[in-house]
Amino acid sequence: MRVFLRIVLVAVAAAMLSTSAAFASHLEADCPLQLVASNPPASAFYQSPHGVFRFGTQVFALRGQTLTTYTVTDLGDLAIAREDFVGALGARESNGGVAFNAGFMYVSSEAGLEILDLRGVRPGGNPPLLVSRISGLHYRRMAVSPRNILAAVYPATDLPCAPFPSSTACFNMIDLYDVSNTSNIRRVGRIMSFDSGVVFNDVTFNYGFLVATGVGGTVGYDIAAPATPVRLGFDTTQGIFLASNGANLLAIGNDTAILTETIQVATPGSSFFTPFELHTLATLRVDRTNPIAFHHQAWIDDAAGRLITMVDEVDPHTLQPARTFAFDTFDYAVPMYEGKDPRLYEQVSYTQIDEVKFNPVAVGPYVYVIGERSGLQSYGVCGQMDGRIEWEAPFALPCGGAEIHGWVTGATKIANVELFLDGGSLGAATLTGPPRTDIPSTTPVTPWRINVNLDATTKGEHVLRAVGTDILGNRRQFSSVRVVFGGPGQNCFVRRRASGK
């Protein structure tokens, strides 16, 4: 009976998602994430807060006081449309609060609350324009509602005291600002933690209603009249971070578990919070001495019907993330059957570059993340092609021509693989050989190989890209490798013939 109810709940939730693409094949999660591109940073990570935002056909990435505007090329790689050093930005804390709404970016740190106009930021357009700065407003979690109300909080996790829900000695508050006129920001409301029964950690909006979580539980408010918020519901789940699709799905997360709730527009007798799925941390501790935890940011991929999270290794001395080493992705449309590792509804994918990553954002077939060292990385996402260029190094290539090989898989049969060096085609690869059974995948893994001659490649760093085309004509880059060549004469080795007797 419980299994039947579980399947019914899954079917209902899948219907609530925005597209039928949410249904995974064979009732098993199929969301491997593979690094497909990386754009190096223009400045040091610690110079400012950070965030990734989509605005129309562009993607903005704030990192190290530099705002980079990206477009996506036909090869699936990220192309820099423009890069602006925001000299007017006063924020210096890398853990400061950042929010985005309707072309305006809101940044808060030790410098106060700053508002920048990005509506004209595009190729040939304007740089970011500082609209206003209000000193003394220091927040680390912010969200903006469709009604132009900014909710901001300094989280309980960062307070220099031990928070308690009813305490008037160690408390915090959510400040509400009217940002409809960005040149004249004014505070229009405040919610105190000792009145709410929750010492706040994070805020977000669902259907325009304010949701906050923290020590003591999770609470929802109607802020149509910000000066007098109306409490809509309460859940005992205590969270460190929130993820929302802005409508019916809310994820409440802590170090070891994430509870997804469905949100209903409050009506007399209805429940604002309805628990849907509880996801726990994957069993990834086997080969790690240090503790691991969910990264305190996540993304609900509405189009694919999946919750995208990351897993951090925690420094036992500072209790802060030491590195992000994996994505842990959960498929909302797959029944939560247990007894397998990874679980049927879960897909674990490992990241590249030893660093902490931030701000996972799904845009189309890719997930973007900001790295402390790597800059902005993009990973191929759910339901798309996945694969790898199995490259060693230039000195492993014999002179006069060599073979480069790898593998590819996808939800639809792959018809062609083409290899590129810095955007120039090296030709079509041959899809041959039995399926690779050493690669964990729910779809067949096809090996590919191509003969190339890279002896004359110029000295310096180059990028190898593999682009696949499926039988429906969809063309995607599924892998890229940065390669450093020594220059002609140092790009290969000469085969030595064995001496005969």
Side-chain angles (χ1 to χ4, degrees):
M1 183 66 180
R2 293 180 64 187
V3 173
F4 173 74
L5 290 175
R6 181 74 228 171
I7 295 174
V8 170
L9 279 173
V10 168
V12 170
M16 296 168 70
L17 297 170
S18 61
T19 176
S20 60
F23 288 91
S25 300
H26 312 299
L27 294 180
E28 187 168 348
D30 181 18
C31 187
L33 295 175
Q34 176 73 32
L35 180 66
V36 294
S38 182
N39 282 336
S43 53
F45 176 78
Y46 60 82
Q47 290 182 202
S48 80
H50 48 83
V52 181
F53 314 100
R54 183 178 182 178
F55 185 53
T57 59
Q58 299 183 134
V59 174
F60 295 128
L62 175 66
R63 182 193 180 281
Q65 206 179 346
T66 299
L67 183 77
T68 308
T69 306
Y70 292 94
T71 58
V72 180
T73 69
D74 292 338
L75 294 178
D77 201 0
L78 292 172
I80 297 178
R82 64 179 296 151
E83 203 161 51
D84 297 284
F85 181 78
V86 191
L89 184 66
R92 291 295 178 269
E93 288 183 335
S94 62
N95 59 351
V98 183
F100 183 86
N101 183 60
F104 290 91
M105 182 170 66
Y106 304 84
V107 182
S108 180
S109 71
E110 81 291 346
L113 176 63
E114 300 173 282
I115 298 94
L116 294 99
D117 187 352
L118 307 187
R119 293 175 298 176
V121 178
R122 58 183 178 273
N126 299 322
L129 301 175
L130 180 66
V131 177
S132 61
R133 178 187 294 121
I134 307 172
S135 61
L137 302 182
H138 192 182
Y139 307 106
R140 290 181 176 172
R141 300 288 185 273
M142 299 193 298
V144 187
S145 80
R147 301 172 183 170
N148 290 315
I149 297 296
L150 171 69
V153 64
Y154 192 90
T157 53
D158 297 351
L159 293 176
C161 54
F164 188 75
S166 61
S167 173
T168 56
C170 184
F171 62 92
N172 64 0
M173 71 287 293
I174 299 173
D175 285 333
L176 303 174
Y177 294 92
D178 183 348
V179 294
S180 55
N181 181 357
T182 53
S183 299
N184 183 26
I185 305 296
R186 56 194 180 91
R187 198 182 79 198
V188 292
R190 170 172 283 180
I191 304 173
M192 305 301 297
S193 62
F194 47 75
D195 291 332
S196 175
V198 176
V199 189
F200 308 110
N201 275 323
D202 202 359
V203 290
T204 191
F205 286 94
N206 286 75
Y207 293 123
F209 299 118
L210 174 65
V211 179
T213 192
V215 180
T218 301
V219 62
Y221 287 98
D222 183 350
I223 57 169
T228 55
V230 177
R231 184 161 165 155
L232 298 175
F234 178 80
D235 189 286
T236 56
T237 305
Q238 303 186 72
I240 298 175
F241 64 96
L242 295 171
S244 169
N245 68 348
N248 63 317
L249 292 178
L250 171 75
I252 308 168
N254 56 40
D255 286 342
T256 59
I258 299 176
L259 174 66
T260 299
E261 307 250 17
T262 57
I263 302 299
Q264 302 180 40
V265 178
T267 58
S270 68
S271 175
F272 186 72
F273 296 105
T274 302
F276 172 49
E277 289 187 355
L278 177 66
H279 296 122
T280 56
L281 200 59
T283 54
L284 301 173
R285 255 193 209 95
V286 176
D287 58 344
R288 296 182 182 272
T289 303
N290 293 331
I292 63 174
F294 278 121
H295 184 81
H296 293 171
Q297 293 170 320
W299 183 264
I300 296 178
D301 185 2
D302 227 7
R306 294 170 168 97
L307 174 64
I308 299 171
T309 74
M310 300 188 294
V311 183
D312 292 337
E313 185 173 345
V314 178
D315 186 331
H317 299 291
T318 64
L319 301 182
Q320 298 298 314
R323 61 189 56 82
T324 303
F325 66 92
F327 289 99
D328 199 359
T329 306
F330 302 97
D331 195 321
Y332 284 131
V334 174
M336 294 183 68
Y337 297 137
E338 303 292 340
K340 182 182 177 182
D341 187 20
R343 295 159 288 196
L344 291 177
Y345 54 85
E346 175 185 41
Q347 180 77 49
V348 175
S349 309
Y350 290 92
T351 62
Q352 295 188 31
I353 305 295
D354 187 9
E355 63 181 0
V356 181
K357 302 184 190 299
F358 302 89
N359 307 108
V361 174
V363 180
Y366 300 99
V367 171
Y368 299 149
V369 293
I370 285 180
E372 290 178 315
R373 296 168 48 220
S374 61
L376 186 72
Q377 291 186 323
S378 63
Y379 287 78
V381 72
C382 319
Q384 302 297 321
M385 297 175 197
D386 187 22
R388 182 167 298 174
I389 301 171
E390 295 179 321
W391 172 270
E392 294 183 10
F395 57 76
L397 301 176
C399 295
E403 178 186 276
I404 297 177
H405 56 83
W407 56 267
V408 64
T409 186
T412 308
K413 182 179 179 180
I414 307 301
N416 178 68
V417 170
E418 189 174 2
L419 204 64
F420 292 81
L421 180 65
D422 298 331
S425 177
L426 296 177
T430 302
L431 298 170
T432 183
R436 294 276 296 271
T437 57
D438 59 314
I439 307 297
S441 175
T442 58
T443 54
V445 178
T446 304
W448 57 265
R449 58 190 72 251
I450 181 174
N451 290 317
V452 298
N453 189 328
L454 304 178
D455 297 357
T457 304
T458 58
K459 181 179 180 179
E461 184 179 80
H462 300 265
V463 180
L464 274 173
R465 296 179 172 89
V467 178
T469 305
D470 64 21
I471 59 175
L472 300 179
N474 298 311
R475 189 166 181 261
R476 298 288 184 193
Q477 174 179 306
F478 59 83
S479 183
S480 70
V481 177
R482 294 188 179 272
V483 183
V484 177
F485 285 91
Q490 301 182 51
N491 293 337
C492 56
F493 72 93
V494 178
R495 295 182 185 272
R496 298 184 181 275
R497 295 183 178 181
S499 59
K501 290 185 179 180

